[in-house]
Amino acid sequence: MGTQESGVDGSGPVADLHVHTTVSDGKLELESVPSAARRAGLSWVGITDHDRLHPGLSAPIERRDGIRLVRGIELRVEVDPDRLTEGAPDTDRPGEPFRVDLLGYGIEPTEELRRELDRIQEDRIERGRKIVRRVENELGVELDVPIERGVGRPHVARAIAESDATLDYEGAFDELIGDNGPCFVARNVPSFERGVQLLGEASRIVGLAHPLRYDDPKVALELTAELDAVEVYYPYADGTDPEGEGAAAVEDVRRRHGLLATGGSDAHGTSLGATGLDADAFAPVRDRLLGDA
């Protein structure tokens, strides 16, 4: 496991399957994705906004300016406490209980999925309002945060950094809106089982995002027995050491459960392809995405 670094000479990734846009907490407009992909030497990009299907995509896979865009999602789900191992996070602690992120690709949304995503977005909006009110009361400032679909804590953190407060983006999370912060508000997310059901009915591939980033990677990895894929290539420190113990654990469950290996940069800025899948690694994923297309 490790980073497959980008390059336009054909040696780097051809697919970045984990990209956020302005409809969640990214900075890249959908219209700018093809040009950003070309600069990175990519042919495929997975649009995986948080808890939301991009409204500008109308098909599971679209070709725009020579780039294939995959309609996807990154869906936060909650793991049943009975699955947790000894020493795993206490789900009764302040803040969020043990949660993981699912990645769905090639989505043809069902009505049931649309209804659940609508509910999640309404919950996000109400949560955003509560967090903003708490921060404003705590700091004595007014924040400029559009409370709309896709709103999340990164939007609040950016507004805090741009206000008269002395906190920067990271400090906003550390001091105020992180999971155990005084201004934190928990979200109402679907269960893991519900998420798998909804995405399984609507997606060509359902996988687990960045498996070694969770407080209990062992539990997170065992969840993949019910999925199609696991994210192997991603840009965080725990996902870049091919000789590391975590990498061996990911490879073990991938082989044991016959999982596809996905990967992407988890881009929230305007540059793509820092990490992804090269042509050989992407081939089986591409075949599953295209199916009979």
Side-chain angles (χ1 to χ4, degrees):
M1 185 172 78
T3 303
Q4 297 187 353
E5 295 183 352
S6 180
V8 295
D9 60 358
S11 62
V14 298
D16 183 342
L17 298 180
H18 195 155
V19 171
H20 300 279
T21 75
T22 54
V23 307
S24 61
D25 59 350
K27 296 182 179 179
L28 194 64
E29 297 282 354
L30 184 65
E31 293 74 16
S32 301
V33 170
S35 59
R38 283 194 298 274
R39 288 195 298 271
L42 301 168
S43 301
W44 290 68
V45 176
I47 305 298
T48 54
D49 284 301
H50 294 287
D51 305 317
R52 192 178 184 192
L53 299 175
H54 199 295
L57 295 174
S58 58
I61 301 173
E62 294 187 18
R63 184 188 291 271
R64 296 197 181 184
D65 298 331
I67 305 298
R68 280 195 169 101
L69 303 182
V70 181
R71 183 164 60 185
I73 196 169
E74 184 173 14
L75 183 68
R76 178 65 55 89
V77 295
E78 187 169 316
V79 178
D80 188 322
D82 290 342
R83 289 180 179 261
L84 300 182
T85 58
E86 184 177 356
D90 180 0
T91 57
D92 292 327
R93 67 181 172 85
E96 295 194 20
F98 186 67
R99 294 174 175 183
V100 299
D101 295 313
L102 299 177
L103 291 166
Y105 294 111
I107 295 177
E108 189 65 65
T110 62
E111 284 305 311
E112 193 174 8
L113 177 60
R114 289 187 189 278
R115 284 194 298 270
E116 180 62 14
L117 296 183
D118 284 343
R119 184 201 66 78
I120 291 171
Q121 291 303 322
E122 290 303 312
D123 179 72
R124 272 185 171 273
I125 288 170
E126 182 57 29
R127 180 214 198 195
R129 290 196 184 103
K130 290 178 180 178
I131 292 177
V132 168
R133 284 198 296 267
R134 291 186 182 187
V135 171
E136 290 178 335
N137 290 336
E138 184 81 13
L139 298 180
V141 300
E142 291 188 9
L143 299 182
D144 182 14
V145 183
I147 304 298
E148 58 191 13
R149 286 180 171 238
V151 66
R153 284 185 290 175
H155 298 92
V156 180
R158 290 170 191 156
I160 292 171
E162 293 167 0
S163 73
D164 293 331
T166 59
L167 297 173
D168 60 11
Y169 181 91
E170 296 297 333
F173 274 94
D174 293 342
E175 301 295 329
L176 292 176
I177 63 174
D179 288 1
N180 294 309
C183 299
F184 174 79
V185 177
R187 290 175 49 210
N188 181 2
V189 305
S191 68
F192 171 78
E193 291 77 13
R194 173 72 167 158
V196 171
Q197 175 219 332
L198 291 171
L199 291 184
E201 293 171 352
S203 309
R204 296 176 183 176
I205 296 172
V206 182
L208 177 70
H210 37 63
L212 302 181
R213 298 200 75 202
Y214 306 112
D215 290 338
D216 190 344
K218 180 179 178 181
V219 168
L221 283 170
E222 286 307 316
L223 297 172
T224 62
E226 300 171 48
L227 306 177
D228 307 310
V230 61
E231 195 170 44
V232 172
Y233 306 103
Y234 52 93
Y236 309 107
D238 52 30
T240 59
D241 181 5
E243 305 300 326
E245 181 178 337
V250 174
E251 182 61 17
D252 175 65
V253 298
R254 193 181 73 81
R255 293 183 180 278
R256 189 152 35 97
H257 301 313
L259 303 171
L260 293 168
T262 65
S265 62
D266 198 1
H268 288 75
T270 57
S271 296
L272 305 182
T275 311
L277 298 171
D278 65 20
D280 289 341
F282 182 53
V285 179
R286 179 198 61 215
D287 291 346
R288 179 75 68 88
L289 286 171
L290 290 175
D292 297 329

